[in-house]
Amino acid sequence: MRLALDQAALAVRGGDVPVGAVVLSPDGTTVLGAGHNEREATGDPTAHAEVLAIRRAAAQLGEWRLTGCTLVVTLEPCTMCAGALVQSRVDRVVYGARDDKAGAAGSLWDVVRDRRLNHRPEVIEGVLAEDCAALLTDFFRNR
Ligand SMILES: [Zn+2]
């Protein structure tokens, strides 16, 4: 989560909301992909931290299945990212702060653990939640 927080801090430079994500290898020792929000920086509505980290991890592995991998993100994934997580077949999703307004991993929806889907990653929430939320609070206070 510290690595994801480092990524989140990078987002602010491009004027983006500070959310960061990393994808860890199945043995947990290697960062396969990292990303931070780049919507403002790139003008791409899908450039969320999770999507970018997933894409980079898949490119690194040379395949779309991230079986065994863990995605760590500072903020609860939105519906798009939750969908991408299911599609990527990650085994585990770890997030920091909850997103009561748009969260799709337990708050407003629970897309990643929807029993109607054929893949349901394990979800661990609340890791360094206060640090993750503080980054966001500071960002919005300064705007
Ligand atoms: Zn998202």
Side-chain angles (χ1 to χ4, degrees), residues 37-97:
N37 269 348
E38 291 183 26
R39 247 182 346 182
E40 299 295 338
T42 63
D44 176 357
T46 70
H48 286 194
E50 300 96 310
V51 168
L52 297 174
I54 287 169
R55 282 184 186 149
R56 288 165 186 156
Q60 176 78 19
L61 286 175
E63 81 144 300
W64 63 268
R65 287 182 199 84
L66 303 182
T67 307
C69 295
T70 297
L71 178 126
V72 182
V73 59
T74 56
L75 180 66
E76 182 179 357
C78 71
T79 48
M80 173 183 73
C81 293
L85 287 162
V86 171
Q87 293 300 325
S88 74
R89 307 284 194 270
V90 293
D91 273 24
R92 200 167 301 102
V93 178
V94 179
Y95 69 84

Side-chain angles (χ1 to χ4, degrees), residues 16 58 71 100:
D16 277 281
L71 178 126
D100 291 324

Side-chain angles (χ1 to χ4, degrees), residues 82-83 86-87 110-120:
V86 171
Q87 293 300 325
D110 200 349
V111 171
V112 287
R113 286 174 290 195
D114 191 314
R115 294 194 166 277
R116 293 166 292 185
L117 295 173
N118 63 355
H119 179 76
R120 292 184 296 275

